[in-house]
Amino acid sequence: GAVVDPDGNLYVADFWGDRVVPIDPPTNAIVGSPIAVGDSPNGVAVSSGGSVYVANFGSDTVSVIDPTTNTVVEPPIVVGDGP
Protein backbone atom coordinates (compact mmCIF):
# COMPACT_ATOMS: atom_id res chain seq x y z
CA GLY A 1 0.00 0.00 0.00
CA ALA A 2 0.93 3.63 -0.35
CA VAL A 3 -0.33 6.96 0.98
CA VAL A 4 0.45 10.67 0.62
CA ASP A 5 0.59 12.77 3.81
CA PRO A 6 -0.70 16.38 4.14
CA ASP A 7 2.76 17.71 3.23
CA GLY A 8 2.85 15.74 -0.02
CA ASN A 9 5.29 13.05 1.13
CA LEU A 10 4.65 9.54 -0.19
CA TYR A 11 4.95 6.51 2.12
CA VAL A 12 5.15 3.06 0.47
CA ALA A 13 4.84 -0.23 2.37
CA ASP A 14 7.61 -2.69 1.45
CA PHE A 15 5.94 -6.02 2.27
CA TRP A 16 9.03 -8.22 1.76
CA GLY A 17 11.47 -5.72 3.30
CA ASP A 18 9.48 -5.17 6.54
CA ARG A 19 9.77 -1.42 6.15
CA VAL A 20 8.11 1.73 4.88
CA VAL A 21 9.90 3.80 2.28
CA PRO A 22 9.34 7.59 2.39
CA ILE A 23 9.53 9.13 -1.10
CA ASP A 24 9.58 12.72 -2.33
CA PRO A 25 7.12 12.65 -5.28
CA PRO A 26 8.60 15.55 -7.30
CA THR A 27 12.04 13.91 -7.41
CA ASN A 28 11.08 10.24 -6.92
CA ALA A 29 13.92 10.08 -4.37
CA ILE A 30 13.88 8.21 -1.08
CA VAL A 31 13.76 10.69 1.80
CA GLY A 32 16.27 9.68 4.47
CA SER A 33 16.31 5.96 5.16
CA PRO A 34 13.57 3.33 4.92
CA ILE A 35 11.72 2.96 8.23
CA ALA A 36 11.75 -0.48 9.88
CA VAL A 37 8.25 -1.53 10.99
CA GLY A 38 6.61 -4.86 11.88
CA ASP A 39 6.53 -7.96 9.70
CA SER A 40 5.02 -7.73 6.21
CA PRO A 41 3.53 -4.22 6.15
CA ASN A 42 0.69 -4.16 3.65
CA GLY A 43 -1.38 -1.05 4.34
CA VAL A 44 -0.58 2.59 5.08
CA ALA A 45 -2.88 5.43 6.19
CA VAL A 46 -2.42 8.99 7.44
CA SER A 47 -4.44 10.59 10.26
CA SER A 48 -5.76 14.14 10.08
CA GLY A 49 -2.89 15.08 12.41
CA GLY A 50 -0.33 13.66 9.98
CA SER A 51 0.68 10.48 11.83
CA VAL A 52 1.35 7.56 9.51
CA TYR A 53 -0.26 4.22 10.46
CA VAL A 54 1.11 0.96 9.04
CA ALA A 55 -0.78 -2.35 9.14
CA ASN A 56 1.75 -5.16 9.64
CA PHE A 57 0.14 -8.33 8.34
CA GLY A 58 2.87 -10.71 9.56
CA SER A 59 3.09 -9.43 13.13
CA ASP A 60 -0.61 -8.60 13.67
CA THR A 61 0.26 -5.05 14.69
CA VAL A 62 -0.08 -1.44 13.60
CA SER A 63 3.03 0.74 13.71
CA VAL A 64 2.73 4.50 14.08
CA ILE A 65 5.32 6.69 12.34
CA ASP A 66 6.03 10.23 13.52
CA PRO A 67 6.24 12.17 10.22
CA THR A 68 8.51 14.87 11.66
CA THR A 69 11.26 12.37 12.52
CA ASN A 70 10.30 9.42 10.27
CA THR A 71 10.68 7.11 13.26
CA VAL A 72 8.31 4.51 14.70
CA VAL A 73 6.52 5.46 17.91
CA GLU A 74 6.90 2.49 20.26
CA PRO A 75 5.32 0.12 21.08
CA PRO A 76 3.28 -1.08 18.10
CA ILE A 77 -0.47 -1.53 18.57
CA VAL A 78 -1.49 -5.20 18.76
CA VAL A 79 -4.69 -5.60 16.75
CA GLY A 80 -5.19 -9.32 16.19
CA ASP A 81 -5.09 -11.60 13.19
CA GLY A 82 -3.55 -10.12 10.02
CA PRO A 83 -4.57 -6.44 9.90
Side-chain angles (χ1 to χ4, degrees):
V3 70
V4 177
D5 73 7
D7 294 328
N9 300 304
L10 174 65
Y11 291 86
V12 179
D14 178 359
F15 185 85
W16 298 113
D18 298 336
R19 61 191 186 167
V20 169
V21 181
I23 297 174
D24 177 45
T27 63
N28 290 327
I30 295 174
V31 177
S33 299
I35 305 160
V37 293
D39 295 334
S40 307
N42 65 337
V44 188
V46 176
S47 72
S48 60
S51 293
V52 179
Y53 290 83
V54 183
N56 302 302
F57 179 80
S59 57
D60 302 329
T61 61
V62 172
S63 296
V64 182
I65 297 173
D66 177 340
T68 59
T69 61
N70 275 351
T71 58
V72 175
V73 177
E74 297 292 337
I77 303 163
V78 178
V79 294
D81 226 6

